[in-house]
Each structure stands twice: as C-alpha cells, then as structure tokens.
Amino acid sequence: MSRALRQLAILGYRIAGGHRNSWTTCQNHSDRELLVRLGAISEQRSSVMRGSGVDLQTFRPTPPAPGTPLVVLPARLLWDKGVGVFVEAAQRLRAQNVVARLAIVGDTQPSNPRSVPEATLREWHQSGVV
C-alpha cells in the first residue's frame, strides 16, 4: 500500500510540476534531493526554505513565571475547533492533580449546528474544569 501511495505522490508532483507556473518549496535539502532524483520535481523549479523552528542562539528559554500556569484556547466555540478535546485535556490534567488554570475564550454561534451549547459551557464552568 505504501509503495502505491508513494508512486501516486510522485505522479502528483510530476503533474503539478508540469505547469509553467509551478514551483516546489521543500522543508530540507534531503527531501528536495530525493524528489529530484525520483523525477518528481525539477531542480530548476524548486527551492529549500531557510528553515523552520526556533533559533536557540537567539531565543533562550526562561524560567517559568511564578504562580499557576494559564492555558488559553482562543476560538469560536465550535466542536470542530477542538473545544471538546481541550476540555478533555483539562479533565485529564485535573485527574492527575496537575495545577493549572485552563480557560476557553470565545463566543458561541447558536446558528451553527456544530456550536457548543450554552448549557454545556455553563456545566464546564460550574465544574471548575475550565
């Protein structure tokens, strides 16, 4: 199965790369070299991004601030935005006696069928989990 998916991905790159305006940006040099070697992309129509992640020479970790950590989920209060997953994580942390304050910041959309009901929000708040 993975061999078939690999061949399909290579074919997709070849088809997309055949367009005159196509350009492929790779995450690293080894990915680009592999895709060029497989004939999936053109070396002339591809590049490698400068990098991703954090430069630890520029940004140094600092000690945690004193007090209870605050974890915030800023989102529209829709199930699709992971609100339920956030609350489940809060419940698990509480069960493991992890000291943290978890807050959901956002508003409901009653017209959206995937909106978290107000009653559920009140229940979570009253339980103290978020």
Side-chain angles (χ1 to χ4, degrees):
M1 179 69 170
S2 66
R3 184 179 184 94
L5 287 174
R6 181 179 182 174
Q7 293 302 316
L8 187 60
I10 291 169
L11 178 63
Y13 274 111
R14 285 181 183 156
I15 291 169
H19 190 275
R20 64 183 172 89
N21 291 330
S22 72
W23 189 270
T24 304
T25 303
C26 296
Q27 180 81 17
N28 55 60
H29 290 285
S30 61
D31 286 350
R32 180 180 183 212
E33 289 166 8
L34 174 65
L35 291 170
V36 168
R37 187 167 29 91
L38 293 172
I41 65 171
S42 160
E43 188 170 5
Q44 295 76 24
R45 306 270 320 143
S46 62
S47 60
V48 176
M49 66 175 63
R50 246 184 92 202
S52 61
V54 175
D55 181 353
L56 295 178
Q57 299 304 314
T58 303
F59 300 98
R60 298 265 182 208
T62 58
T68 303
L70 172 64
V71 181
V72 179
L73 172 66
R76 288 179 293 147
L77 302 183
L78 305 174
W79 295 113
D80 299 345
K81 297 295 181 184
V83 176
V85 174
F86 185 82
V87 172
E88 183 181 334
Q91 291 166 334
R92 287 182 180 190
L93 289 171
R94 178 185 254 191
Q96 295 174 11
N97 297 317
V98 173
V99 179
R101 203 171 131 224
L102 286 92
I104 301 172
V105 179
D107 204 357
T108 61
Q109 289 184 315
S111 62
N112 188 325
R114 298 295 298 150
S115 184
V116 178
E118 290 277 348
T120 302
L121 296 171
R122 277 192 299 278
E123 181 182 309
W124 290 338
H125 180 71
Q126 289 170 352
S127 75
V129 71
V130 290

Short mmCIF file of all heavy atoms in Angstrom, two decimals, residues 52-108:
data_model
loop_
_atom_site.label_atom_id
_atom_site.label_comp_id
_atom_site.label_asym_id
_atom_site.label_seq_id
_atom_site.Cartn_x
_atom_site.Cartn_y
_atom_site.Cartn_z
N SER A 52 12.96 26.03 9.60
CA SER A 52 11.79 26.22 10.45
C SER A 52 12.21 25.90 11.87
O SER A 52 13.26 25.32 12.11
CB SER A 52 10.65 25.33 10.00
OG SER A 52 11.04 23.98 10.09
N GLY A 53 11.40 26.29 12.78
CA GLY A 53 11.74 26.05 14.17
C GLY A 53 12.25 27.33 14.81
O GLY A 53 12.12 28.42 14.26
N VAL A 54 12.87 27.18 15.94
CA VAL A 54 13.32 28.31 16.73
C VAL A 54 14.85 28.31 16.79
O VAL A 54 15.46 27.27 17.05
CB VAL A 54 12.74 28.23 18.17
CG1 VAL A 54 13.28 29.33 19.05
CG2 VAL A 54 11.23 28.26 18.12
N ASP A 55 15.45 29.44 16.54
CA ASP A 55 16.90 29.59 16.66
C ASP A 55 17.24 29.72 18.13
O ASP A 55 17.01 30.77 18.74
CB ASP A 55 17.36 30.82 15.88
CG ASP A 55 18.86 31.03 15.94
OD1 ASP A 55 19.56 30.30 16.69
OD2 ASP A 55 19.34 31.93 15.24
N LEU A 56 17.80 28.67 18.70
CA LEU A 56 18.08 28.67 20.14
C LEU A 56 19.24 29.58 20.52
O LEU A 56 19.48 29.83 21.70
CB LEU A 56 18.32 27.24 20.63
CG LEU A 56 17.11 26.32 20.53
CD1 LEU A 56 17.46 24.92 21.00
CD2 LEU A 56 15.95 26.87 21.34
N GLN A 57 19.98 30.08 19.52
CA GLN A 57 21.03 31.07 19.81
C GLN A 57 20.41 32.45 20.03
O GLN A 57 20.95 33.28 20.75
CB GLN A 57 22.06 31.12 18.68
CG GLN A 57 22.78 29.80 18.47
CD GLN A 57 23.46 29.29 19.73
OE1 GLN A 57 24.13 30.03 20.44
NE2 GLN A 57 23.26 28.01 20.04
N THR A 58 19.28 32.68 19.39
CA THR A 58 18.58 33.97 19.51
C THR A 58 17.56 33.95 20.63
O THR A 58 17.44 34.90 21.40
CB THR A 58 17.87 34.31 18.18
OG1 THR A 58 18.85 34.32 17.14
CG2 THR A 58 17.20 35.67 18.25
N PHE A 59 16.81 32.86 20.74
CA PHE A 59 15.74 32.75 21.72
C PHE A 59 16.12 31.72 22.77
O PHE A 59 16.20 30.53 22.48
CB PHE A 59 14.42 32.37 21.04
CG PHE A 59 13.98 33.37 20.01
CD1 PHE A 59 14.24 33.15 18.67
CD2 PHE A 59 13.33 34.53 20.39
CE1 PHE A 59 13.85 34.08 17.72
CE2 PHE A 59 12.94 35.45 19.45
CZ PHE A 59 13.20 35.23 18.11
N ARG A 60 16.34 32.19 23.97
CA ARG A 60 16.74 31.31 25.08
C ARG A 60 15.54 31.02 25.97
O ARG A 60 14.73 31.92 26.24
CB ARG A 60 17.83 31.99 25.91
CG ARG A 60 19.08 32.28 25.13
CD ARG A 60 20.03 31.16 25.35
NE ARG A 60 21.27 31.45 24.64
CZ ARG A 60 22.04 30.50 24.21
NH1 ARG A 60 21.71 29.25 24.39
NH2 ARG A 60 23.14 30.79 23.59
N PRO A 61 15.44 29.80 26.47
CA PRO A 61 14.35 29.50 27.41
C PRO A 61 14.52 30.32 28.69
O PRO A 61 15.64 30.62 29.09
CB PRO A 61 14.51 28.02 27.70
CG PRO A 61 15.58 27.50 26.80
CD PRO A 61 16.26 28.65 26.17
N THR A 62 13.42 30.67 29.28
CA THR A 62 13.46 31.39 30.56
C THR A 62 12.76 30.54 31.61
O THR A 62 11.95 29.68 31.28
CB THR A 62 12.73 32.75 30.45
OG1 THR A 62 11.39 32.52 30.05
CG2 THR A 62 13.41 33.67 29.45
N PRO A 63 13.06 30.79 32.86
CA PRO A 63 12.37 30.02 33.90
C PRO A 63 10.88 30.32 33.88
O PRO A 63 10.47 31.42 33.50
CB PRO A 63 13.00 30.52 35.20
CG PRO A 63 14.16 31.36 34.83
CD PRO A 63 14.03 31.73 33.39
N PRO A 64 10.07 29.37 34.27
CA PRO A 64 8.63 29.61 34.30
C PRO A 64 8.28 30.77 35.24
O PRO A 64 8.95 30.96 36.26
CB PRO A 64 8.03 28.30 34.82
CG PRO A 64 9.13 27.31 34.84
CD PRO A 64 10.42 28.03 34.73
N ALA A 65 7.25 31.50 34.88
CA ALA A 65 6.79 32.60 35.74
C ALA A 65 6.21 32.01 37.02
O ALA A 65 5.66 30.90 37.01
CB ALA A 65 5.73 33.41 35.00
N PRO A 66 6.30 32.74 38.11
CA PRO A 66 5.72 32.22 39.35
C PRO A 66 4.19 32.18 39.25
O PRO A 66 3.58 32.91 38.49
CB PRO A 66 6.17 33.23 40.41
CG PRO A 66 6.50 34.47 39.64
CD PRO A 66 6.92 34.05 38.27
N GLY A 67 3.60 31.32 40.02
CA GLY A 67 2.14 31.23 40.06
C GLY A 67 1.62 30.08 39.22
O GLY A 67 2.36 29.31 38.62
N THR A 68 0.31 29.98 39.19
CA THR A 68 -0.36 28.90 38.45
C THR A 68 -0.33 29.19 36.96
O THR A 68 -0.74 30.28 36.53
CB THR A 68 -1.82 28.79 38.93
OG1 THR A 68 -1.82 28.56 40.34
CG2 THR A 68 -2.54 27.66 38.23
N PRO A 69 0.12 28.25 36.15
CA PRO A 69 0.13 28.46 34.70
C PRO A 69 -1.30 28.62 34.16
O PRO A 69 -2.23 27.98 34.65
CB PRO A 69 0.76 27.19 34.14
CG PRO A 69 1.38 26.49 35.29
CD PRO A 69 0.69 26.96 36.52
N LEU A 70 -1.43 29.47 33.15
CA LEU A 70 -2.72 29.69 32.49
C LEU A 70 -2.61 29.18 31.06
O LEU A 70 -1.73 29.60 30.32
CB LEU A 70 -3.08 31.18 32.50
CG LEU A 70 -4.30 31.57 31.68
CD1 LEU A 70 -5.57 30.93 32.23
CD2 LEU A 70 -4.44 33.09 31.65
N VAL A 71 -3.50 28.28 30.69
CA VAL A 71 -3.56 27.74 29.33
C VAL A 71 -4.87 28.22 28.73
O VAL A 71 -5.94 28.00 29.30
CB VAL A 71 -3.51 26.19 29.33
CG1 VAL A 71 -3.55 25.65 27.92
CG2 VAL A 71 -2.29 25.70 30.09
N VAL A 72 -4.79 28.89 27.58
CA VAL A 72 -5.97 29.50 26.97
C VAL A 72 -6.22 28.90 25.58
O VAL A 72 -5.29 28.74 24.80
CB VAL A 72 -5.78 31.03 26.84
CG1 VAL A 72 -6.99 31.67 26.17
CG2 VAL A 72 -5.54 31.66 28.19
N LEU A 73 -7.48 28.60 25.31
CA LEU A 73 -7.91 28.21 23.97
C LEU A 73 -8.75 29.37 23.42
O LEU A 73 -9.91 29.54 23.81
CB LEU A 73 -8.76 26.93 23.99
CG LEU A 73 -9.40 26.57 22.64
CD1 LEU A 73 -8.34 26.21 21.61
CD2 LEU A 73 -10.39 25.43 22.80
N PRO A 74 -8.16 30.20 22.54
CA PRO A 74 -8.95 31.26 21.91
C PRO A 74 -9.58 30.70 20.62
O PRO A 74 -8.85 30.33 19.71
CB PRO A 74 -7.92 32.35 21.61
CG PRO A 74 -6.63 31.59 21.43
CD PRO A 74 -6.75 30.31 22.23
N ALA A 75 -10.88 30.60 20.59
CA ALA A 75 -11.53 30.00 19.42
C ALA A 75 -13.02 30.30 19.43
O ALA A 75 -13.60 30.60 20.46
CB ALA A 75 -11.32 28.49 19.42
N ARG A 76 -13.61 30.20 18.24
CA ARG A 76 -15.07 30.17 18.20
C ARG A 76 -15.47 28.87 18.87
O ARG A 76 -14.82 27.85 18.71
CB ARG A 76 -15.56 30.20 16.75
CG ARG A 76 -15.37 31.56 16.11
CD ARG A 76 -15.85 31.58 14.67
NE ARG A 76 -14.99 30.73 13.87
CZ ARG A 76 -15.39 30.02 12.82
NH1 ARG A 76 -16.65 30.06 12.44
NH2 ARG A 76 -14.56 29.27 12.15
N LEU A 77 -16.51 28.89 19.65
CA LEU A 77 -16.86 27.74 20.45
C LEU A 77 -17.65 26.72 19.63
O LEU A 77 -18.84 26.51 19.80
CB LEU A 77 -17.61 28.18 21.70
CG LEU A 77 -16.81 29.17 22.57
CD1 LEU A 77 -17.56 29.52 23.83
CD2 LEU A 77 -15.43 28.64 22.89
N LEU A 78 -16.89 26.08 18.74
CA LEU A 78 -17.42 25.05 17.86
C LEU A 78 -16.69 23.75 18.18
O LEU A 78 -15.49 23.75 18.46
CB LEU A 78 -17.19 25.41 16.39
CG LEU A 78 -17.72 26.75 15.91
CD1 LEU A 78 -17.28 27.01 14.47
CD2 LEU A 78 -19.22 26.80 16.03
N TRP A 79 -17.40 22.65 18.10
CA TRP A 79 -16.76 21.35 18.33
C TRP A 79 -15.60 21.16 17.36
O TRP A 79 -14.57 20.60 17.73
CB TRP A 79 -17.78 20.22 18.18
CG TRP A 79 -18.85 20.24 19.23
CD1 TRP A 79 -20.19 20.49 19.04
CD2 TRP A 79 -18.70 20.00 20.64
NE1 TRP A 79 -20.86 20.43 20.24
CE2 TRP A 79 -19.97 20.13 21.23
CE3 TRP A 79 -17.61 19.70 21.45
CZ2 TRP A 79 -20.18 19.96 22.59
CZ3 TRP A 79 -17.82 19.52 22.81
CH2 TRP A 79 -19.09 19.65 23.37
N ASP A 80 -15.77 21.64 16.12
CA ASP A 80 -14.73 21.48 15.09
C ASP A 80 -13.43 22.20 15.43
O ASP A 80 -12.39 21.91 14.84
CB ASP A 80 -15.23 22.00 13.74
CG ASP A 80 -16.46 21.26 13.25
OD1 ASP A 80 -16.77 20.18 13.78
OD2 ASP A 80 -17.12 21.75 12.32
N LYS A 81 -13.47 23.15 16.33
CA LYS A 81 -12.28 23.92 16.71
C LYS A 81 -11.50 23.23 17.84
O LYS A 81 -10.51 23.76 18.32
CB LYS A 81 -12.65 25.34 17.13
CG LYS A 81 -13.28 26.16 16.04
CD LYS A 81 -12.29 26.40 14.93
CE LYS A 81 -12.91 27.26 13.84
NZ LYS A 81 -12.01 27.43 12.71
N GLY A 82 -11.96 22.08 18.28
CA GLY A 82 -11.24 21.33 19.30
C GLY A 82 -11.61 21.69 20.72
O GLY A 82 -10.88 21.34 21.66
N VAL A 83 -12.74 22.35 20.90
CA VAL A 83 -13.15 22.74 22.25
C VAL A 83 -13.34 21.51 23.14
O VAL A 83 -12.87 21.48 24.28
CB VAL A 83 -14.44 23.61 22.20
CG1 VAL A 83 -14.93 23.93 23.60
CG2 VAL A 83 -14.19 24.87 21.40
N GLY A 84 -13.97 20.48 22.63
CA GLY A 84 -14.18 19.27 23.41
C GLY A 84 -12.86 18.59 23.78
O GLY A 84 -12.69 18.09 24.90
N VAL A 85 -11.91 18.59 22.86
CA VAL A 85 -10.59 18.00 23.12
C VAL A 85 -9.88 18.79 24.21
O VAL A 85 -9.24 18.22 25.10
CB VAL A 85 -9.75 17.96 21.83
CG1 VAL A 85 -8.34 17.50 22.10
CG2 VAL A 85 -10.42 17.06 20.79
N PHE A 86 -9.99 20.12 24.16
CA PHE A 86 -9.39 20.99 25.18
C PHE A 86 -9.96 20.67 26.56
O PHE A 86 -9.22 20.52 27.53
CB PHE A 86 -9.62 22.46 24.81
CG PHE A 86 -8.94 23.43 25.73
CD1 PHE A 86 -7.62 23.75 25.57
CD2 PHE A 86 -9.66 24.05 26.75
CE1 PHE A 86 -6.99 24.66 26.41
CE2 PHE A 86 -9.05 24.96 27.60
CZ PHE A 86 -7.71 25.27 27.43
N VAL A 87 -11.27 20.55 26.64
CA VAL A 87 -11.91 20.25 27.92
C VAL A 87 -11.52 18.86 28.41
O VAL A 87 -11.24 18.67 29.59
CB VAL A 87 -13.45 20.40 27.82
CG1 VAL A 87 -14.13 19.91 29.08
CG2 VAL A 87 -13.81 21.86 27.55
N GLU A 88 -11.43 17.90 27.50
CA GLU A 88 -10.99 16.55 27.89
C GLU A 88 -9.56 16.60 28.44
O GLU A 88 -9.26 15.95 29.44
CB GLU A 88 -11.06 15.61 26.69
CG GLU A 88 -10.68 14.19 27.04
CD GLU A 88 -10.71 13.25 25.84
OE1 GLU A 88 -11.45 13.50 24.88
OE2 GLU A 88 -9.97 12.25 25.89
N ALA A 89 -8.70 17.38 27.81
CA ALA A 89 -7.33 17.52 28.31
C ALA A 89 -7.34 18.16 29.70
O ALA A 89 -6.60 17.73 30.59
CB ALA A 89 -6.50 18.36 27.34
N ALA A 90 -8.20 19.16 29.89
CA ALA A 90 -8.31 19.81 31.20
C ALA A 90 -8.76 18.81 32.26
O ALA A 90 -8.24 18.80 33.38
CB ALA A 90 -9.29 20.98 31.12
N GLN A 91 -9.70 17.96 31.91
CA GLN A 91 -10.20 16.95 32.85
C GLN A 91 -9.10 15.95 33.19
O GLN A 91 -8.94 15.55 34.35
CB GLN A 91 -11.41 16.23 32.26
CG GLN A 91 -12.63 17.12 32.17
CD GLN A 91 -13.74 16.55 31.30
OE1 GLN A 91 -13.50 15.76 30.39
NE2 GLN A 91 -14.98 16.98 31.57
N ARG A 92 -8.31 15.56 32.21
CA ARG A 92 -7.21 14.62 32.46
C ARG A 92 -6.15 15.25 33.35
O ARG A 92 -5.61 14.57 34.25
CB ARG A 92 -6.59 14.17 31.14
CG ARG A 92 -7.46 13.22 30.36
CD ARG A 92 -6.77 12.78 29.11
NE ARG A 92 -7.60 11.88 28.35
CZ ARG A 92 -7.16 11.18 27.31
NH1 ARG A 92 -5.91 11.28 26.91
NH2 ARG A 92 -7.98 10.39 26.67
N LEU A 93 -5.82 16.51 33.09
CA LEU A 93 -4.83 17.19 33.92
C LEU A 93 -5.31 17.27 35.37
O LEU A 93 -4.56 17.03 36.30
CB LEU A 93 -4.54 18.59 33.37
CG LEU A 93 -3.76 18.62 32.06
CD1 LEU A 93 -3.72 20.04 31.51
CD2 LEU A 93 -2.35 18.07 32.25
N ARG A 94 -6.59 17.60 35.52
CA ARG A 94 -7.16 17.69 36.87
C ARG A 94 -7.11 16.33 37.57
O ARG A 94 -6.74 16.24 38.74
CB ARG A 94 -8.60 18.18 36.78
CG ARG A 94 -9.27 18.25 38.14
CD ARG A 94 -10.71 18.62 37.99
NE ARG A 94 -10.86 20.00 38.41
CZ ARG A 94 -12.01 20.57 38.60
NH1 ARG A 94 -13.13 19.92 38.36
NH2 ARG A 94 -12.08 21.81 39.01
N ALA A 95 -7.42 15.26 36.85
CA ALA A 95 -7.40 13.92 37.42
C ALA A 95 -5.99 13.52 37.86
O ALA A 95 -5.82 12.71 38.77
CB ALA A 95 -7.95 12.91 36.42
N GLN A 96 -4.98 14.09 37.19
CA GLN A 96 -3.58 13.78 37.54
C GLN A 96 -3.01 14.80 38.53
O GLN A 96 -1.81 14.83 38.76
CB GLN A 96 -2.73 13.75 36.27
CG GLN A 96 -3.11 12.63 35.32
CD GLN A 96 -2.34 12.71 34.01
OE1 GLN A 96 -1.39 13.46 33.86
NE2 GLN A 96 -2.78 11.90 33.05
N ASN A 97 -3.91 15.63 39.08
CA ASN A 97 -3.52 16.66 40.06
C ASN A 97 -2.50 17.65 39.53
O ASN A 97 -1.66 18.15 40.28
CB ASN A 97 -3.01 16.01 41.36
CG ASN A 97 -4.10 15.21 42.03
OD1 ASN A 97 -5.25 15.66 42.12
ND2 ASN A 97 -3.77 14.03 42.48
N VAL A 98 -2.55 17.93 38.23
CA VAL A 98 -1.70 18.96 37.64
C VAL A 98 -2.32 20.31 37.96
O VAL A 98 -3.50 20.54 37.71
CB VAL A 98 -1.56 18.77 36.12
CG1 VAL A 98 -0.80 19.93 35.49
CG2 VAL A 98 -0.88 17.44 35.81
N VAL A 99 -1.52 21.21 38.53
CA VAL A 99 -2.02 22.52 38.90
C VAL A 99 -1.87 23.47 37.71
O VAL A 99 -0.75 23.81 37.31
CB VAL A 99 -1.26 23.08 40.13
CG1 VAL A 99 -1.77 24.46 40.48
CG2 VAL A 99 -1.42 22.14 41.30
N ALA A 100 -2.99 23.85 37.13
CA ALA A 100 -3.02 24.78 36.01
C ALA A 100 -4.43 25.33 35.90
O ALA A 100 -5.40 24.71 36.33
CB ALA A 100 -2.63 24.09 34.71
N ARG A 101 -4.52 26.52 35.34
CA ARG A 101 -5.82 27.14 35.08
C ARG A 101 -6.05 27.09 33.58
O ARG A 101 -5.20 27.53 32.80
CB ARG A 101 -5.76 28.60 35.55
CG ARG A 101 -7.09 29.17 35.86
CD ARG A 101 -6.94 30.53 36.53
NE ARG A 101 -7.82 31.42 35.82
CZ ARG A 101 -7.54 32.63 35.43
NH1 ARG A 101 -6.37 33.15 35.69
NH2 ARG A 101 -8.42 33.34 34.79
N LEU A 102 -7.16 26.51 33.16
CA LEU A 102 -7.47 26.40 31.74
C LEU A 102 -8.70 27.22 31.43
O LEU A 102 -9.69 27.15 32.15
CB LEU A 102 -7.67 24.93 31.35
CG LEU A 102 -6.35 24.16 31.31
CD1 LEU A 102 -6.06 23.50 32.62
CD2 LEU A 102 -6.35 23.17 30.18
N ALA A 103 -8.61 28.01 30.37
CA ALA A 103 -9.70 28.92 30.02
C ALA A 103 -10.00 28.84 28.53
O ALA A 103 -9.09 28.71 27.71
CB ALA A 103 -9.33 30.36 30.39
N ILE A 104 -11.27 28.90 28.22
CA ILE A 104 -11.73 28.98 26.83
C ILE A 104 -12.19 30.41 26.61
O ILE A 104 -13.04 30.91 27.35
CB ILE A 104 -12.88 27.99 26.56
CG1 ILE A 104 -12.43 26.56 26.85
CG2 ILE A 104 -13.36 28.13 25.13
CD1 ILE A 104 -13.55 25.55 26.81
N VAL A 105 -11.65 31.06 25.59
CA VAL A 105 -12.01 32.44 25.29
C VAL A 105 -12.62 32.48 23.90
O VAL A 105 -11.95 32.17 22.92
CB VAL A 105 -10.77 33.37 25.35
CG1 VAL A 105 -11.16 34.79 25.02
CG2 VAL A 105 -10.11 33.28 26.72
N GLY A 106 -13.88 32.81 23.82
CA GLY A 106 -14.55 32.86 22.53
C GLY A 106 -16.03 33.00 22.73
O GLY A 106 -16.51 33.20 23.84
N ASP A 107 -16.75 32.91 21.64
CA ASP A 107 -18.19 33.06 21.69
C ASP A 107 -18.84 31.91 20.93
O ASP A 107 -18.23 31.31 20.04
CB ASP A 107 -18.60 34.39 21.08
CG ASP A 107 -19.94 34.88 21.59
OD1 ASP A 107 -20.59 34.16 22.38
OD2 ASP A 107 -20.35 35.99 21.21
N THR A 108 -20.06 31.63 21.30
CA THR A 108 -20.81 30.58 20.62
C THR A 108 -21.42 31.14 19.34
O THR A 108 -21.50 32.36 19.15
CB THR A 108 -21.94 30.03 21.51
OG1 THR A 108 -22.82 31.09 21.82
CG2 THR A 108 -21.39 29.41 22.76
#
